[in-house]
Amino acid sequence: MIAEESTKFESGPLARRSFIKALSTAIGANIVFGHLAPNGFMPVALGQMNEPFSIPGKPGLTILNDRPVNAETLPHLLNDPITSASRLFVRNNGLPPETVDIDSWRLVIGGESVVNSKTYSIDELKSKFENINLALTLECGGNGRAEFYPPASGNQWTTGAVGCPIWNGIRLKDVLEDCGIKENAVYIAYHSADQHLSRDPSKDAISRGVPIGKALEPESMIAWGMNGEPLPSHHGYPLRLVCGGWPGSTSGKWIKQIDIRDRVHDGTKMTGSSYRVPKYPVKAGATVPDEDMKIIESMPVKSLVTYPKSGVEVGLNDTLKLNGHAWAGDLEVISVSVSNDFGQTWVEADLKKPVNRLAWQQWDAAISFPEKGYYEVWARAVDSEGTSQPMLIPGWNPKGYLNNSCHRIAVYVV
Ligand SMILES: Nc1nc2c(c(=O)[nH]1)N[C@H]1C(S)=C(S)[C@@H](COP(=O)(O)O)O[C@H]1N2
Ligand SMILES: [Mo]
């Protein structure tokens, strides 16, 4: 649909001007910097006519699918620096375990590259290893998928498959080292208690992992709690992995076994187009051979405007205060800027340091407007390697992963 509209733009500046005018009519205000808007531009206000419906314990979350359950969070509901359980997105690939007995739950450490395979109860894990609490950003690799064209199959996440709770648990490293890691270790792999959608017990719903180097980082966790409470059942009760800054799919929920592997893990959703992207840029809609795909590792730099809510009205002489979060996978964010003229000029935001490595960072900024009308405020973050978020959607890939384009909110100046 956007593609069709942009051909209209290209038929001449007059046609484009009248199209921007039509859009102004649709949203009920003049789009002040309309002449600067990128080709294919659609005001974000247009998509905000409907309020989301809710699920128990997750008021205000937008349900994308109910079997398996998948729900995301509107940006203004993510304003807190630490995400509460009620506002954390849910991404299930299969059917979560229905009953969990925490006392009989066991975690097995095995695999080709473990020295001594061991089995732990949750009490043993809690008492034997140093307990830690870390804020770690969890973002689904498919967050932002809804914007890709041609559309990619899968949950049509917009911006809300991300959050940053405080996780309570232990270092994965400590447990792996307690069992011993052979020299030839390459990867770790999780196996979980959720069922494949078909209920076929021989199939895993998902079984992924991370390279041994990431597993041994001091922030990679086995968690039993979130924000000081036991993990909610949607989020992996009684035990999960948390690999901050990497695709959420590496953070296995309801974990029963972790294998130390002598090869790149080849479990369910490790191969083909699952959580993998082309090694080189491809044409939108292309078919990419398996051998040309690589596993997604650290997530790209990204940010959200979490205040004010998109669609806010401000007076002409008011300065609009904005705030949000920014994160950059394994890296730190070094700057965030905001623009109200489609990126012609930028105002630098005040950016906080992360509370710990791999936690999202808070930013705030103030911006004013030259005349009454409709604006979009865009936020753009830059990571510690100097890589910026793109303003428009990045490279197309078969499953629509890694869309880290700038988030924007609608602002009416009255
Ligand atoms: N066992 C298991 N672990 C899983 C999943 C799953 O379906 N089953 N989904 C993964 C995906 S794709 C993501 S994005 C995160 C989502 O975590 P959350 O539902 O707690 O937000 O969990 C990951 N861990
Ligand atoms: Mo995910």
Side-chain angles (χ1 to χ4, degrees), residues 89 91 93 139-143 157 206 247-250 275 401:
F89 76 99
R91 194 320 182 213
N93 287 266
E139 181 179 21
C140 181
N143 196 20
W157 306 109
I206 184 169
S249 53
T250 60
Y275 306 104
Y401 296 120

Side-chain angles (χ1 to χ4, degrees), residues 308 311-321 367 369 372-373 375 411-414:
V312 66
E313 271 191 15
V314 292
L316 179 56
N317 299 316
D318 295 345
T319 299
L320 177 63
K321 291 198 163 143
I367 201 162
F369 302 88
K372 290 181 181 176
Y375 296 81
V411 176
Y412 294 86
V413 177
V414 295

